[in-house]
Every structure is written in structure tokens, then in C-alpha cells.
């Protein structure tokens, strides 16, 4: 009986972690990104490792001959029937292109090994990861920097979150970031190690392209918050504020067991079905779309088009949805829009903002004229006032 309770408790911890991880684990890296440049979903992997692996080419060789030699080298390395980890699924596109889908647990050393093993074995034309342009900085930051950033929730991050997403969404973002910091501290490991491994390994494969396959995090975040009722937002915020359940590396590895994963996802759906729809199901559709875009025939030197080989690196929770959606007709336009707030929601926000302005004004009054002016000149206070004015102005349009 005791073992059953432990299993149930571990599953509950995993359910809450899965519920919030999709939004939380990489929000700290999003704060450094240019908010207008996320549409370019392809980046160039580092070629430093590639230069070390390749043989020396004769100086008199032409560019065309060099490309053909590199192409032959990759073909020799590519295994036609590779023995891959059990976390890898194989899907086939209509034109014969192959997708090797690696399901990962985001805080897992073994997932990093699965990714490296798969890329080295199949020598892909394209690697696609579950990241968007807002979170691309985590590919180039070292582990120590990521650990420090994940734990450091400071006033500047609070200000930026409120300024970018509005008061309510910004505060919810900070709570989700707190969850990521909690998991990071518990495990002593920064999130996204499997994506950094994929980026490094892609740089060792000739002609391999690296694509960012996830929906932009601001769209996911705003749709997730908009899908929750006021009561659900309060429950979620309460749960995030007091999240202190221990989680171990063994618990994380259990996320890779499909039977436990199904149980975990069922608990998640039962508690917050709308949040599951926006964080998991909609992103399943978007990821499927970008993976199918990547699995298109490629042009080989001196030959016609040939089927592509693609490696996709996604959280294990997305694998079943991608497999279900693989052969379906998909419309991603439906999951890219953010509905305007309802009138009731706007009234509630206005009341809350009015109360905040009133408290701020009273504080300035009690502080006195000169001190009040100093308070109003603080960047934090200016940011809050600017945030309060902007949504109100939008609501009057």
C-alpha cells in the first residue's frame, strides 16, 4: 500500500511538472530575444566540430568536387537500418522521406545520449527541435549560465514580463518561471540539454540544417492564459506559489515510460483540460506541421531530388500527438491567433488596475510630496504605470 501511495505521489508531481514545463522551462531565455525576429525558424549550427571530423581536402580541389566528397562521406556514415534507442519512432512521408522522432525527458542525461546516438547513426539532412526563436539563446549558453539564469528571478524580469504580456499574464509568467527554477534547483541541471546536444551533433553532419519547430512561446502563453477561467487561473496560481514537491532524476526518467506518461497526461487533462489543449495538443499540431515541412526531398550533387532524412527532438509528451496527426490535414492558422479579452475580463482587470493605482497614489500621498516624486520616478513604478495605461487605452478603442 505504501508503494502505491509513493507511485501515485510521484505521478502527481510529474503531472504538475508536465503541466507547467511547456511554458516555464525556457521563459528565462526568451527575455533576451528580439521580439520581432521569431519567424526565421532555421539557424546555422556551429561548424567547429565538423572541421575537426572531416578529412583534409586537397587544395586544388574545386568547390563542386569538395561538395560531392562531403556528400559521399555522409552517405558512407549513414546507417540504412540503425539500432536506435526505444525512445525513437520512425515515420514516413508520402515522398519516402524519413522522420526519426526522438522523445525526450527535458531534464535527462540519457535523453542527450539518445539524441546524439540517433543523429550520428542516421546523418540527417535536417534536425528539428522543440524550440522557437524566442528560446534559441539556450542553444548557445553554457550549462552554468543557464543554471544561474533559471534560479535568478529578479525585479528586471518581473518588469519585462509585465511590460511584454500585461499585468495578469506577466505575473503568471513569473510564477511559471518559479516552477522552472524549482525543478532546476531540485535536479541541479539546466533545462534543454537535449536541444543543445542536437545543435552540437548537427554541426558535425555535412550539409545538415537545423530548424526551430515549436510555436512561438508568446502565442502559446497568451492562448493558455486566455483559455482558463478566473477560478482556474486562481487555482493554478495558488498551486504554483506553493509548489514544493520533491522531484528526482529518477522521476524525470519515468517520463520516458509510455504507460506512466499516459497516466500522467490523463491526470493533467482532468485537472486543467483547457491548459492541456493549448500547451500540448495545439503544439502537437504545430510541431507536426513543421516536421512535415522539413521532410521534403533534398537535392543531391549530380542527381535528381532524393528523399530526406530528418531527426525531430521533442518532449515525450508530444510524440503520441505527432504520430496521430502525421497523416492528417492540418490548419495551423486556427492555433496562431489570440482572442481579445472578454468584456467581463476587461472589467475585472480594470478594477484590479484601479485598485493598484489607488494604492500607489495613497503611498505617494503618505510619503509626502518630494518623496512621492522620487517614488514616481523609479523605473519599477514607471513600468507599472505604463503597463496599466496601455491595456486600458486598448480597451477604449
Amino acid at each position: 500500500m505504501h508503494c502505491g501511495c509513493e507511485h501515485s505521489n510521484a505521478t502527481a508531481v510529474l503531472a504538475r511538472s508536465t503541466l507547467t514545463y511547456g511554458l516555464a522551462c525556457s521563459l528565462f531565455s526568451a527575455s533576451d530575444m528580439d521580439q520581432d525576429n521569431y519567424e526565421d525558424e532555421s539557424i546555422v549550427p556551429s561548424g567547429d566540430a565538423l572541421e575537426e571530423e572531416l578529412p583534409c581536402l586537397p587544395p586544388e580541389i574545386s568547390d563542386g568536387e569538395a561538395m560531392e566528397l562531403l556528400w559521399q562521406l555522409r552517405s558512407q556514415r549513414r546507417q540504412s537500418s540503425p539500432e536506435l534507442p526505444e525512445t525513437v519512432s520512425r515515420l514516413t512521408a508520402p515522398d519516402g522521406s524519413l522522420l526519426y522522432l526522438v522523445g525526450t525527458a527535458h531534464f535527462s542525461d540519457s535523453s542527450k545520449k539518445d539524441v546524439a546516438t540517433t543523429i550520428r547513426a542516421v546523418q540527417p539532412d535536417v534536425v528539428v527541435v522543440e524550440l522557437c526563436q524566442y528560446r534559441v539563446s539556450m542553444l548557445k549558453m553554457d550549462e552554468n549560465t543557464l543554471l544561474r539564469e533559471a534560479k535568478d528571478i529578479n525585479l528586471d524580469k518581473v518588469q519585462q514580463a509585465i511590460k511584454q504580456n500585461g499585468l495578469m499574464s506577466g505575473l503568471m509568467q513569473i510564477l511559471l518561471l518559479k516552477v522552472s527554477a524549482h525543478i532546476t534547483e531540485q535536479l541541479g541541471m539546466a533545462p534543454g540539454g537535449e536541444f543543445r546536444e542536437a545543435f552540437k551533433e548537427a554541426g558535425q553532419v555535412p550539409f545538415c540544417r537545423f530548424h526551430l519547430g515549436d510555436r512561438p512561446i508568446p502565442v502559446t502563453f497568451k492562448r493558455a492564459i486566455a483559455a482558463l477561467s478566473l477560478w482556474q487561473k486562481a487555482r493554478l496560481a495558488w498551486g504554483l506559489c506553493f509548489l514544493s514537491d520533491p522531484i528526482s532524476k529518477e522521476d524525470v526518467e519515468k517520463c520516458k515510460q509510455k504507460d506512466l506518461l499516459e497516466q500522467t497526461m490523463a491526470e493533467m487533462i482532468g485537472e486543467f483540460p483547457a491548459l492541456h489543449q493549448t500547451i500540448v495538443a495545439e503544439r502537437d499540431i504545430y510541431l507536426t506541421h513543421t516536421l512535415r515541412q522539413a521532410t521534403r526531398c533534398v537535392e543531391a550533387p549530380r542527381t535528381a531530388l532524393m528523399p530526406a532524412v530528418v531527426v525531430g527532438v521533442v518532449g515525450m509528451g508530444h510524440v503520441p500527438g505527432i504520430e496521430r496527426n502525421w497523416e492528417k490535414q492540418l490548419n495551423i492558422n486556427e492555433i496562431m491567433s489570440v482572442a481579445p479579452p472578454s468584456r467581463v475580463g476587461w472589467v475585472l482587470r480594470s478594477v484590479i488596475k484601479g485598485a493598484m493605482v489607488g494604492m500607489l497614489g495613497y503611498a505617494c500621498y503618505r510619503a509626502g510630496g518630494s518623496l512621492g516624486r522620487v517614488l514616481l520616478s523609479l523605473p519599477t513604478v514607471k513600468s507599472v504605470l505604463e503597463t496599466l495605461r496601455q491595456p486600458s487605452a486598448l480597451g477604449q478603442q
Side-chain angles (χ1 to χ4, degrees), residues 333-393:
N333 293 330
E334 297 175 354
I335 60 171
M336 292 299 291
S337 61
V338 180
S342 65
R343 189 169 187 82
V344 173
W346 180 81
V347 170
L348 287 173
R349 280 191 293 275
S350 298
V351 171
I352 294 172
K353 292 170 185 175
M356 288 187 64
V357 171
M359 288 188 291
L360 184 60
Y362 180 72
C364 292
Y365 168 75
R366 296 288 296 177
S370 59
L371 187 54
R373 285 192 293 272
V374 172
L375 285 173
L376 289 173
S377 67
L378 291 174
T380 304
V381 176
K382 287 183 177 180
S383 176
V384 171
L385 289 174
E386 181 182 354
T387 304
L388 297 179
R389 285 198 302 268
Q390 289 176 349
S392 299

Side-chain angles (χ1 to χ4, degrees), residues 112-124:
K112 292 163 63 175
K113 295 176 183 176
D114 292 349
V115 169
T117 298
T118 303
I119 293 177
R120 291 173 188 175
V122 306
Q123 296 287 296

Side-chain angles (χ1 to χ4, degrees), residues 75-337:
S75 299
Q76 292 169 4
R77 290 177 174 179
R78 179 177 288 173
Q79 300 175 23
S80 57
S81 300
E83 291 186 10
L84 299 175
E86 60 181 12
T87 55
V88 180
S89 303
R90 175 172 152 160
L91 299 171
T92 305
D95 63 5
S97 296
L98 294 177
L99 168 65
Y100 293 93
L101 189 63
V102 187
T104 68
H106 291 300
F107 288 85
S108 169
D109 283 328
S110 65
S111 286
K112 292 163 63 175
K113 295 176 183 176
D114 292 349
V115 169
T117 298
T118 303
I119 293 177
R120 291 173 188 175
V122 306
Q123 296 287 296
D125 299 288
V126 186
V127 172
V128 182
V129 297
E130 183 199 330
L131 288 176
C132 66
Q133 189 70 18
Y134 283 85
R135 294 169 284 165
V136 72
S137 60
M138 69 163 18
L139 295 174
K140 302 175 182 179
M141 295 170 72
D142 62 80
E143 194 84 1
N144 291 331
T145 302
L146 285 165
L147 278 169
R148 185 172 63 251
E149 286 288 319
K151 295 176 182 178
D152 181 23
I153 304 176
N154 53 41
L155 186 59
D156 289 339
K157 290 181 180 177
V158 175
Q159 288 179 333
Q160 189 166 13
I162 293 175
K163 186 174 182 180
Q164 290 176 358
N165 299 292
L167 180 63
M168 300 299 291
S169 294
L171 293 177
M172 191 67 75
Q173 177 176 329
I174 294 302
L175 289 176
L176 288 166
L177 189 57
K178 175 182 175 290
V179 175
S180 178
H182 169 72
I183 299 174
T184 297
E185 185 174 5
Q186 290 276 311
L187 300 177
M189 181 187 302
E194 74 273 33
F195 303 137
R196 289 188 292 279
E197 191 71 17
F199 186 65
K200 182 185 76 173
E201 292 293 334
Q204 299 181 26
V205 180
F207 308 113
C208 182
R209 291 170 291 156
F210 192 89
H211 287 188
L212 307 174
D214 202 3
R215 181 171 64 178
I217 192 70
V219 176
T220 297
F221 186 78
K222 290 176 182 178
R223 284 182 64 86
I225 297 301
L228 297 175
S229 66
L230 186 61
W231 170 242
Q232 288 174 324
K233 290 175 185 175
R235 283 179 57 205
L236 179 61
W238 179 267
L240 295 177
C241 282
F242 297 98
L243 180 69
S244 59
D245 297 309
I247 183 169
S248 66
K249 292 185 179 181
E250 289 74 21
D251 291 329
V252 172
E253 291 302 321
K254 290 176 183 176
C255 285
K256 297 166 69 176
Q257 302 172 13
K258 293 193 176 182
D259 55 344
L260 180 62
L261 182 67
E262 290 175 1
Q263 182 182 349
T264 301
M265 298 299 282
E267 291 191 17
M268 175 178 166
I269 294 170
E271 189 171 3
F272 292 99
L275 209 55
H276 173 272
Q277 175 65 25
T278 51
I279 294 177
V280 180
E282 290 183 359
R283 289 171 64 219
D284 289 346
I285 293 173
Y286 193 94
L287 286 165
T288 304
H289 171 76
T290 53
L291 287 166
R292 289 203 312 215
Q293 291 288 315
T295 49
R296 292 178 172 177
C297 287
V298 294
E299 186 174 356
R302 301 188 182 183
T303 63
L305 294 177
M306 59 183 296
V309 174
V310 177
V311 170
V313 182
V314 301
M316 183 62 78
H318 290 293
V319 172
I322 292 171
E323 292 176 340
R324 285 194 302 269
N325 291 320
W326 185 247
E327 296 182 356
K328 293 181 180 179
Q329 293 290 330
L330 303 176
N331 181 8
I332 65 167
N333 293 330
E334 297 175 354
I335 60 171
M336 292 299 291
S337 61

Side-chain angles (χ1 to χ4, degrees), residues 12-68:
V13 172
L14 288 174
R16 284 192 290 274
S17 299
T18 304
L19 178 67
T20 56
Y21 177 81
L23 292 176
C25 74
S26 302
L27 285 175
F28 66 87
S29 63
S31 64
D32 298 326
M33 294 302 300
D34 181 351
Q35 302 296 304
D36 298 322
N37 292 331
Y38 67 82
E39 292 188 6
D40 182 10
E41 296 179 346
S42 179
I43 60 177
V44 179
S46 172
D48 296 341
L50 179 59
E51 292 176 0
E52 296 177 2
E53 294 285 332
L54 293 178
C56 294
L57 298 176
E60 67 277 4
I61 195 172
S62 67
D63 290 344
E65 291 172 330
M67 288 185 62
E68 189 167 354

